[in-house]
Amino acid sequence: MTQAPAITTTASFPEKFVWGVATSSFQIEGAADVDGKGPSIWDDFCKQPGAIADASDGVTACDHYHRWQDDLDLIDRLGVDAYRFSVSWPRVRPGGSGAWNEKGLDFYERIVDGLLARGIKPYLTLNHWDLPSELQAKGGWTDRDTVHRFVEYAQGIDQRMGDRLASITTHNEPWVVAVLGYEQGIFAPGIKSRAAAAQASHHLLLSHGLALQALRAQGSKTRLGIVLNLSPVQSATDSAEDQAQAHLEDGKLLRWYMDPLFQGSYPADVLAYLGADAPQLQAGDLDAIRTPMDFMGVNYYSRAVISAKGPWDAKQSGLPITDMGWEVYPEGLTELLVRMHTDYPVPPLYVTENGGAFKDAVQDGQVHDADRTDYIARHIEAVAEAMRQGVRMEGYMVWSLLDNFEWASGYAKRFGIVHVDYATQKRTLKDSAIWYAAMLTARPGHRSQKVAAINAI
Ligand code: IFM
């Protein structure tokens, strides 16, 4: 285990750089059918035998729906500037269309106002995967109608609380929704069809662009963007086969999303690879998708290494490996950010998720997660390096605030900087959280110092 470096990380960043923590609705809220919430595709998927490694579900999760005030206090203690969270679409509009659920809207409004009261900026995501089940029954993201329902959802949230938000993100990680959900079937909704995945990805992108246009048309006061999960894709060897395969995988992961968002086209090599499975487009779709954004988020965890011979075994690199089996490779974050900045006319960038799952143990009320602190510190340094190389970066957010429901892996994988005892719902700050808080509250002018100064009078 590596010792956390004694870094003065924030010194390399401008004062207005935004430091945060992130979560998502399904992973922490619980209250799956409380106060009028409708079912989501993840509620349904968890019921499929074998879908979730520990056969768990999101019925209780971190019980954040009931403990939100204490959790906001916890976020405040960390000294962050921002909290990135998502809205559960079926909590605010249970069927995805039709009646809105006032109690659901009130819940998120209380979160937003509670954050602002504590001096924390709310970064709201509309789609972190929990699509209303009723929309899935009509085809989910393969159905073009879902695009229009999503635009209405975006408008409703913006009308209700957009005046108090730091930003609205349309989608979190559309690649995951499309590929893991509709092609590999290992995430909700559990479909295995390459054509369905391609169509779903197009509709996700289209709904993003149309939502931006609709929100601007209604005078939205907040900043608008999308969040992609991206990695540098490297060839395992110099062989022509590996390099060709790596180029295609780069196309499927990065260029399939970045090209339409910034260049108005899908990459030709991926379209050729898809052949008859390529998505159906209508006139104007590509123009809508490239609607300018105010910011963009990148979720980074590791690099991808591609061999034409089959899956790459991360253990052979000799790099540290997280509990997810992912290599710790911070230089990949610098490489990725510089590439995005060089190849595309990107708006200001945020790292909207970054962190590691490690096997934590609570000992005498403490969690000594030096490996997680080391991971986060090294990735923050990688962001600083990207900025030195000219990338416009505005923020960095740790994934995650809390240990939570890690999708198909269930609760066994812990990404939190705050430990959650799921039997008691007790929260314990891990050493990584204490380190992050110490770093952030020591910044010149931090709100905690103002409070301390007032108290000292
Ligand atoms: O937990 C997820 C999150 O929901 C989306 N990005 C990756 C995280 C870790 O797998």
Side-chain angles (χ1 to χ4, degrees):
M1 202 183 296
T2 339
Q3 281 301 311
I7 53 165
T8 51
T9 306
T10 57
S12 334
F13 291 84
E15 212 171 292
K16 65 176 199 277
F17 191 84
V18 176
W19 299 93
V21 283
T23 64
S24 86
S25 48
F26 191 83
Q27 292 177 275
I28 65 164
E29 285 177 3
D33 56 5
V34 171
D35 287 344
K37 177 184 168 290
S40 80
I41 56 172
W42 272 94
D43 292 305
D44 303 336
F45 190 65
C46 290
K47 292 181 186 140
Q48 291 184 18
I52 311 299
D54 57 5
S56 62
D57 54 40
V59 171
T60 307
C62 305
D63 197 28
H64 172 73
Y65 187 78
H66 297 112
R67 295 167 192 266
W68 65 271
Q69 298 201 56
D70 289 346
D71 287 342
L72 295 198
D73 287 343
L74 194 59
I75 296 168
D76 192 16
R77 277 174 68 194
L78 295 177
V80 293
D81 307 308
Y83 175 50
R84 174 175 179 255
F85 64 99
S86 76
V87 172
S88 160
W89 184 350
R91 195 180 291 290
V92 297
R93 206 178 193 197
S97 63
W100 292 80
N101 178 27
E102 281 302 314
K103 286 187 174 168
L105 288 164
D106 287 348
F107 171 68
Y108 294 108
E109 204 163 32
R110 285 196 296 269
I111 300 268
V112 170
D113 292 339
L115 289 168
L116 293 174
R118 290 165 176 81
I120 301 162
K121 297 181 172 79
Y123 280 67
L124 181 148
T125 299
L126 292 167
N127 174 27
H128 200 123
W129 312 347
D130 37 4
L131 183 77
S133 303
E134 267 188 48
L135 295 183
Q136 190 60 47
K138 297 175 196 150
W141 287 108
T142 63
D143 180 12
R144 199 171 167 102
D145 194 53
T146 299
V147 171
H148 303 296
R149 301 293 76 77
F150 179 80
V151 173
E152 290 169 5
Y153 164 47
Q155 289 174 303
I157 293 295
D158 179 60
Q159 278 160 14
R160 182 72 171 237
M161 56 198 94
D163 58 336
R164 283 155 285 161
L165 298 173
S167 75
I168 291 180
T169 292
T170 52
H171 298 293
N172 180 70
E173 304 184 355
W175 178 92
V176 171
V177 176
V179 174
L180 302 191
Y182 287 81
E183 182 169 354
Q184 297 181 12
I186 56 173
F187 275 22
I191 291 165
K192 291 184 181 162
S193 156
R194 191 175 74 165
Q199 194 63 55
S201 65
H202 177 64
H203 286 156
L204 285 156
L205 288 168
L206 177 61
S207 67
H208 155 81
L210 291 177
L212 259 53
Q213 293 181 356
L215 295 193
R216 295 218 173 99
Q218 72 180 20
S220 177
K221 296 192 171 52
T222 191
R223 297 172 82 211
L224 308 172
I226 196 169
V227 166
L228 302 184
N229 57 300
L230 299 175
S231 298
V233 181
Q234 300 176 352
S235 176
T237 70
D238 288 342
S239 77
E241 294 79 11
D242 284 356
Q243 288 190 359
Q245 189 66 33
H247 185 71
L248 176 62
E249 294 303 328
D250 173 75
K252 288 156 64 181
L253 176 68
L254 187 145
R255 289 179 285 115
W256 185 256
Y257 298 90
M258 293 295 283
D259 284 13
L261 285 169
F262 295 103
Q263 296 173 348
S265 59
Y266 284 111
D269 59 331
V270 183
L271 285 172
Y273 155 82
L274 287 172
D277 288 342
Q280 304 292 314
L281 274 59
Q282 292 185 13
D285 284 5
L286 289 168
D287 283 341
I289 292 171
R290 74 188 304 193
T291 301
M293 290 183 250
D294 302 310
F295 75 95
M296 187 181 162
V298 186
N299 295 348
Y300 177 81
Y301 290 90
S302 189
R303 64 175 175 174
V305 182
I306 302 299
S307 161
K309 293 198 184 74
W312 159 262
D313 176 7
K315 288 196 199 86
Q316 63 192 276
S317 68
L319 293 168
I321 306 280
T322 72
D323 199 26
M324 297 297 283
W326 301 342
E327 293 172 332
V328 179
Y329 191 70
E331 47 273 62
L333 178 54
T334 308
E335 185 186 324
L336 174 67
L337 294 168
V338 170
R339 190 243 179 129
M340 291 170 73
H341 165 80
T342 309
D343 288 2
Y344 299 94
V346 286
L349 298 176
Y350 286 72
V351 172
T352 33
E353 285 183 25
N354 177 242
F358 294 97
K359 290 207 185 304
D360 299 319
V362 185
Q363 294 165 334
D364 303 326
Q366 298 180 326
V367 181
H368 301 305
D369 59 338
D371 32 19
R372 182 176 291 102
T373 306
D374 181 64
Y375 180 104
I376 295 170
R378 292 178 64 200
H379 284 80
I380 290 173
E381 289 297 339
V383 175
E385 177 56 26
M387 291 169 76
R388 281 192 284 275
Q389 294 187 36
V391 184
R392 271 191 307 169
M393 296 295 309
E394 287 194 347
Y396 171 90
M397 311 209 183
V398 171
W399 185 269
S400 178
L401 168 68
L402 300 171
D403 290 336
N404 59 49
F405 177 77
E406 178 52 26
W407 308 110
S409 305
Y411 292 95
K413 307 294 181 195
R414 293 179 176 270
F415 274 92
I417 56 172
V418 176
H419 181 273
V420 177
D421 178 334
Y422 294 112
T424 62
Q425 292 295 343
K426 182 174 163 45
R427 276 75 160 135
T428 303
L429 265 62
K430 301 179 190 178
D431 286 357
S432 56
I434 295 165
W435 166 82
Y436 197 46
M439 181 175 78
L440 299 188
T441 52
R443 284 173 302 157
H446 186 267
R447 65 176 181 280
S448 60
Q449 296 156 8
K450 288 179 200 141
V451 174
I454 292 164
N455 288 343
I457 293 169

